[in-house]
Amino acid sequence: MGKTLTRKIIEKHLVEGDWQPGGEIAIRIDQTLTQDATGTMALLEFEAFGCPRVRTEISVSYVDHNMVQLSFENADDHAYLQSTAARYGLVFSRPGNGICHQIHLERFAVPGRTLLGADSHTPTCGGLAMIAIGAGGLDVAAAMAGQPFHLTCPQVVGLRLAGRLPDYVAAKDVILEVLRRLTTKGNVGWVAEYFGPGVAALTVPERATITNMGAELGVTCSLFPSDEQTHRFLAAQKRADLYLPLAADETAAYDRMIEIDLAKLEPLAACPSSPDNIKPIRELAGLAVQQVCIGSCTASSYKDLMTAAAMVRGKKISPQTTLVVAPGSRQVLQNIIRDGGLADLVAAGARLDECACGFCIGCAQAPATGTVSVRTSNRNFPGRSGTQGDQVYLVSPETAAATALAGMITDPRTLGQAPRIELPAELIIDDSMLLAPPADSVKTEIFRGPNIGEPPRFDPLSDDLVGEVALKVGDKITTDHICPAGSLLRLRSNIPEYAKHVFTNVDPAFAGRAAALRGRKLAAFIIAGASYGQGSSREHAAICPRYLGIRAIIAKSFERIHTANLINFGILPLVFANPADYDLVAPGAALRLAGVKQAIAAGADTLAITATAAGKEFTFQVRLTLTDRQRLIVIAGGLLNLER
Ligand code: MIC
Ligand code: SF4
């Protein structure tokens, strides 16, 4: 039986374990990426490891999230990151150079290598045949220090693509179709591997759109083969020497197979407020739209923007609608300037935003109350745009451009001849915004402004956990619910301040209630439904609750990156053995896990919890799936304690 490409690359990097889906393995990490919103904490953690210089082939520190400097915090973070990059041997991508995933694909991705990134959309580089995985900052810090990355050996779903995309149907519609079929829940522990005759016509940036939004499926990563398209892309980037053909064996056996005929796809949208709430554009056509945003790491490549530009050329956008364009990188910006696309967009009425995350993470262009925003980005979780009660639709650049012209959701197929945009063979390439670290870096002084805190120190696990349910929430709680981003991103290096805002849009009294329990020396617990911790890799969604005294989360199920983050900071991710018990545990109930430390040390995978509410007591079972290494981590109170 042949091997999948996932297996081939992982086996080449194995340092612990064997290819046994479901078991624990550890892989060597060749490259890392961090961005400013997760990177300050990751670099502080790296410093705590006491390693003099990064031990990867390449580590890049990007600044792309916190781009607005209304006060000193973001600028301080940037200065800290620039100085730590120089000191510890990372390449520094200066603010304004663009979004980490787009730049990494253009300038650093190498087929067949591994990449670990402190951002959930790191799998974007799977479009260039990398095993590229998103993780919490602490796991990335450990990789920078040369440690292997531990993960569950994945199962592989093979997505066999056939046919060719019709006019006006984009890569974005492919991944929206995959999300329609697989949803955002229940894909933990899988890799999505694309293959088949339909793959050959997809360019690397199109593949990257598809692998990028695999993050919304909750898979470990997504992967395309390395072929002629890969060669063309690398050649245009003047990196053809790094090309290496890679593919699954013809006889590869996938754990699950999905067939997609590209020719049968149509323009789709993810409707408010989940990336898997998919409808065809033709069913939404006519809905009045007040804002259209083209950009984000999902869809802001040269082709995306030149296509939108060609569609609006010589026309004006609707007076009822604003059009915002944020190129994914400075390289994209320079090339659409050269080739006239920017002039067409601006002439049509587009507003130009910086090459950065911006509107995608609520750091710019929050929509007006009660209005519809149509975006090419990857997440439309409630309130993520910065406006409570927002109505965000996620679409392709083609649908976005058609919608901006008409002022209402519009099927681009109604616009006549579709533009054909080819990847230029020659691109303007200017790496002057990427600063290489000096060879002799020990003398670099590190800038530490008042916004730069320290990773907090936490107590080891106690013998018993006794406390109360501080919050009960439902299904699909995202990390945006737990630790909102937007204007609060400026607090990412300052845990005591950021922790005051945990669950602020869900229950503003939560942080105070948890802190009061901590004052009474009681543990605080959260009860949750299915798929807890969807979305980002931000480890703050574990660190801040832990800082407030949360010791365990009891949920129907958890997402992958968030589970690892909880363990890394000493919070127990407990799963209801019987999901119906979720209904029985009331907010405010007293909970007791007697002898928990000893049980975990002894390898128990089921624990009993006694709950008391309104004078009634009952006991229920929870499951705790930990490897031996993770048992040591939670007993120590977190990975940093264990390292120290
Ligand atoms: C996101 O898209 O939610 C982010 C902001 O890029 C996060 C990282 C962060 O919270 O800093 C992610 O996807 O991991
Ligand atoms: Fe930035 Fe949005 Fe991509 Fe996250 S999803 S990295 S916020 S552009």
Side-chain angles (χ1 to χ4, degrees), residues 153-169:
C153 182
Q155 291 187 281
V156 183
V157 50
L159 290 111
R160 185 176 179 281
L161 306 184
R164 227 192 146 90
L165 286 173
D167 280 354
Y168 286 122
V169 181

PDB file of all heavy atoms in Angstrom, residues 153-169:
ATOM      1  N   CYS A 153      -0.606  11.730  15.954  1.00  0.00           N
ATOM      2  CA  CYS A 153      -0.388  11.284  14.578  1.00  0.00           C
ATOM      3  C   CYS A 153      -1.743  11.310  13.856  1.00  0.00           C
ATOM      4  O   CYS A 153      -2.702  10.672  14.288  1.00  0.00           O
ATOM      5  CB  CYS A 153       0.187   9.861  14.577  1.00  0.00           C
ATOM      6  SG  CYS A 153       0.516   9.281  12.917  1.00  0.00           S
ATOM      7  N   PRO A 154      -1.849  12.100  12.764  1.00  0.00           N
ATOM      8  CA  PRO A 154      -3.177  12.351  12.193  1.00  0.00           C
ATOM      9  C   PRO A 154      -3.711  11.213  11.340  1.00  0.00           C
ATOM     10  O   PRO A 154      -2.957  10.368  10.866  1.00  0.00           O
ATOM     11  CB  PRO A 154      -2.923  13.583  11.314  1.00  0.00           C
ATOM     12  CG  PRO A 154      -1.491  13.455  10.901  1.00  0.00           C
ATOM     13  CD  PRO A 154      -0.772  12.805  12.059  1.00  0.00           C
ATOM     14  N   GLN A 155      -5.021  11.239  11.142  1.00  0.00           N
ATOM     15  CA  GLN A 155      -5.644  10.477  10.061  1.00  0.00           C
ATOM     16  C   GLN A 155      -5.685  11.415   8.862  1.00  0.00           C
ATOM     17  O   GLN A 155      -5.674  12.644   9.042  1.00  0.00           O
ATOM     18  CB  GLN A 155      -7.054  10.074  10.451  1.00  0.00           C
ATOM     19  CG  GLN A 155      -7.085   9.035  11.564  1.00  0.00           C
ATOM     20  CD  GLN A 155      -8.498   8.544  11.779  1.00  0.00           C
ATOM     21  OE1 GLN A 155      -9.288   9.204  12.416  1.00  0.00           O
ATOM     22  NE2 GLN A 155      -8.793   7.380  11.223  1.00  0.00           N
ATOM     23  N   VAL A 156      -5.729  10.858   7.675  1.00  0.00           N
ATOM     24  CA  VAL A 156      -5.657  11.722   6.492  1.00  0.00           C
ATOM     25  C   VAL A 156      -6.926  11.577   5.655  1.00  0.00           C
ATOM     26  O   VAL A 156      -7.289  10.467   5.253  1.00  0.00           O
ATOM     27  CB  VAL A 156      -4.421  11.385   5.632  1.00  0.00           C
ATOM     28  CG1 VAL A 156      -4.320  12.336   4.440  1.00  0.00           C
ATOM     29  CG2 VAL A 156      -3.151  11.464   6.473  1.00  0.00           C
ATOM     30  N   VAL A 157      -7.602  12.699   5.439  1.00  0.00           N
ATOM     31  CA  VAL A 157      -8.740  12.688   4.529  1.00  0.00           C
ATOM     32  C   VAL A 157      -8.230  13.139   3.167  1.00  0.00           C
ATOM     33  O   VAL A 157      -7.569  14.171   3.052  1.00  0.00           O
ATOM     34  CB  VAL A 157      -9.936  13.540   5.045  1.00  0.00           C
ATOM     35  CG1 VAL A 157      -9.522  14.929   5.472  1.00  0.00           C
ATOM     36  CG2 VAL A 157     -11.022  13.661   3.967  1.00  0.00           C
ATOM     37  N   GLY A 158      -8.463  12.318   2.161  1.00  0.00           N
ATOM     38  CA  GLY A 158      -8.024  12.642   0.804  1.00  0.00           C
ATOM     39  C   GLY A 158      -9.135  13.377   0.080  1.00  0.00           C
ATOM     40  O   GLY A 158     -10.264  12.879  -0.027  1.00  0.00           O
ATOM     41  N   LEU A 159      -8.829  14.582  -0.392  1.00  0.00           N
ATOM     42  CA  LEU A 159      -9.827  15.339  -1.154  1.00  0.00           C
ATOM     43  C   LEU A 159      -9.416  15.276  -2.616  1.00  0.00           C
ATOM     44  O   LEU A 159      -8.432  15.895  -3.008  1.00  0.00           O
ATOM     45  CB  LEU A 159      -9.918  16.778  -0.654  1.00  0.00           C
ATOM     46  CG  LEU A 159     -10.551  16.837   0.737  1.00  0.00           C
ATOM     47  CD1 LEU A 159      -9.539  17.249   1.773  1.00  0.00           C
ATOM     48  CD2 LEU A 159     -11.751  17.753   0.753  1.00  0.00           C
ATOM     49  N   ARG A 160     -10.122  14.458  -3.367  1.00  0.00           N
ATOM     50  CA  ARG A 160      -9.758  14.252  -4.766  1.00  0.00           C
ATOM     51  C   ARG A 160     -10.485  15.275  -5.623  1.00  0.00           C
ATOM     52  O   ARG A 160     -11.709  15.287  -5.700  1.00  0.00           O
ATOM     53  CB  ARG A 160     -10.142  12.832  -5.192  1.00  0.00           C
ATOM     54  CG  ARG A 160      -9.690  12.492  -6.574  1.00  0.00           C
ATOM     55  CD  ARG A 160      -9.988  11.044  -6.941  1.00  0.00           C
ATOM     56  NE  ARG A 160      -9.549  10.779  -8.301  1.00  0.00           N
ATOM     57  CZ  ARG A 160     -10.224  11.131  -9.378  1.00  0.00           C
ATOM     58  NH1 ARG A 160     -11.390  11.722  -9.269  1.00  0.00           N
ATOM     59  NH2 ARG A 160      -9.731  10.862 -10.579  1.00  0.00           N
ATOM     60  N   LEU A 161      -9.688  16.159  -6.228  1.00  0.00           N
ATOM     61  CA  LEU A 161     -10.278  17.209  -7.061  1.00  0.00           C
ATOM     62  C   LEU A 161     -10.243  16.767  -8.517  1.00  0.00           C
ATOM     63  O   LEU A 161      -9.211  16.297  -9.004  1.00  0.00           O
ATOM     64  CB  LEU A 161      -9.502  18.518  -6.906  1.00  0.00           C
ATOM     65  CG  LEU A 161      -9.316  19.048  -5.470  1.00  0.00           C
ATOM     66  CD1 LEU A 161      -8.616  20.403  -5.504  1.00  0.00           C
ATOM     67  CD2 LEU A 161     -10.651  19.158  -4.734  1.00  0.00           C
ATOM     68  N   ALA A 162     -11.379  16.930  -9.192  1.00  0.00           N
ATOM     69  CA  ALA A 162     -11.439  16.645 -10.623  1.00  0.00           C
ATOM     70  C   ALA A 162     -11.988  17.887 -11.323  1.00  0.00           C
ATOM     71  O   ALA A 162     -12.545  18.771 -10.676  1.00  0.00           O
ATOM     72  CB  ALA A 162     -12.354  15.455 -10.877  1.00  0.00           C
ATOM     73  N   GLY A 163     -11.819  17.963 -12.637  1.00  0.00           N
ATOM     74  CA  GLY A 163     -12.407  19.070 -13.405  1.00  0.00           C
ATOM     75  C   GLY A 163     -11.666  20.379 -13.202  1.00  0.00           C
ATOM     76  O   GLY A 163     -10.593  20.436 -12.606  1.00  0.00           O
ATOM     77  N   ARG A 164     -12.263  21.460 -13.728  1.00  0.00           N
ATOM     78  CA  ARG A 164     -11.641  22.789 -13.715  1.00  0.00           C
ATOM     79  C   ARG A 164     -12.667  23.779 -13.223  1.00  0.00           C
ATOM     80  O   ARG A 164     -13.854  23.660 -13.526  1.00  0.00           O
ATOM     81  CB  ARG A 164     -11.277  23.120 -15.168  1.00  0.00           C
ATOM     82  CG  ARG A 164      -9.882  23.646 -15.351  1.00  0.00           C
ATOM     83  CD  ARG A 164      -9.715  24.222 -16.752  1.00  0.00           C
ATOM     84  NE  ARG A 164      -8.796  25.357 -16.667  1.00  0.00           N
ATOM     85  CZ  ARG A 164      -7.481  25.246 -16.793  1.00  0.00           C
ATOM     86  NH1 ARG A 164      -6.933  24.075 -17.038  1.00  0.00           N
ATOM     87  NH2 ARG A 164      -6.712  26.311 -16.679  1.00  0.00           N
ATOM     88  N   LEU A 165     -12.230  24.765 -12.473  1.00  0.00           N
ATOM     89  CA  LEU A 165     -13.186  25.748 -11.946  1.00  0.00           C
ATOM     90  C   LEU A 165     -13.822  26.539 -13.091  1.00  0.00           C
ATOM     91  O   LEU A 165     -13.116  27.008 -13.984  1.00  0.00           O
ATOM     92  CB  LEU A 165     -12.462  26.728 -11.015  1.00  0.00           C
ATOM     93  CG  LEU A 165     -12.073  26.188  -9.633  1.00  0.00           C
ATOM     94  CD1 LEU A 165     -11.214  27.211  -8.888  1.00  0.00           C
ATOM     95  CD2 LEU A 165     -13.310  25.841  -8.814  1.00  0.00           C
ATOM     96  N   PRO A 166     -15.142  26.715 -13.055  1.00  0.00           N
ATOM     97  CA  PRO A 166     -15.791  27.547 -14.081  1.00  0.00           C
ATOM     98  C   PRO A 166     -15.411  29.024 -13.901  1.00  0.00           C
ATOM     99  O   PRO A 166     -14.888  29.405 -12.851  1.00  0.00           O
ATOM    100  CB  PRO A 166     -17.294  27.362 -13.797  1.00  0.00           C
ATOM    101  CG  PRO A 166     -17.414  26.260 -12.811  1.00  0.00           C
ATOM    102  CD  PRO A 166     -16.104  26.135 -12.108  1.00  0.00           C
ATOM    103  N   ASP A 167     -15.695  29.837 -14.898  1.00  0.00           N
ATOM    104  CA  ASP A 167     -15.461  31.274 -14.791  1.00  0.00           C
ATOM    105  C   ASP A 167     -16.146  31.820 -13.533  1.00  0.00           C
ATOM    106  O   ASP A 167     -17.277  31.431 -13.214  1.00  0.00           O
ATOM    107  CB  ASP A 167     -16.067  31.998 -16.006  1.00  0.00           C
ATOM    108  CG  ASP A 167     -15.145  31.881 -17.218  1.00  0.00           C
ATOM    109  OD1 ASP A 167     -14.016  31.353 -17.059  1.00  0.00           O
ATOM    110  OD2 ASP A 167     -15.567  32.306 -18.305  1.00  0.00           O
ATOM    111  N   TYR A 168     -15.486  32.734 -12.879  1.00  0.00           N
ATOM    112  CA  TYR A 168     -16.023  33.426 -11.698  1.00  0.00           C
ATOM    113  C   TYR A 168     -16.186  32.533 -10.465  1.00  0.00           C
ATOM    114  O   TYR A 168     -16.785  32.933  -9.475  1.00  0.00           O
ATOM    115  CB  TYR A 168     -17.367  34.103 -12.000  1.00  0.00           C
ATOM    116  CG  TYR A 168     -17.239  35.349 -12.827  1.00  0.00           C
ATOM    117  CD1 TYR A 168     -17.892  35.465 -14.064  1.00  0.00           C
ATOM    118  CD2 TYR A 168     -16.504  36.434 -12.368  1.00  0.00           C
ATOM    119  CE1 TYR A 168     -17.803  36.624 -14.818  1.00  0.00           C
ATOM    120  CE2 TYR A 168     -16.412  37.600 -13.122  1.00  0.00           C
ATOM    121  CZ  TYR A 168     -17.052  37.691 -14.340  1.00  0.00           C
ATOM    122  OH  TYR A 168     -16.961  38.836 -15.073  1.00  0.00           O
ATOM    123  N   VAL A 169     -15.733  31.291 -10.546  1.00  0.00           N
ATOM    124  CA  VAL A 169     -15.742  30.446  -9.349  1.00  0.00           C
ATOM    125  C   VAL A 169     -14.285  30.333  -8.904  1.00  0.00           C
ATOM    126  O   VAL A 169     -13.401  30.068  -9.721  1.00  0.00           O
ATOM    127  CB  VAL A 169     -16.366  29.067  -9.626  1.00  0.00           C
ATOM    128  CG1 VAL A 169     -16.385  28.224  -8.357  1.00  0.00           C
ATOM    129  CG2 VAL A 169     -17.782  29.237 -10.171  1.00  0.00           C
TER     130      VAL A 169
END
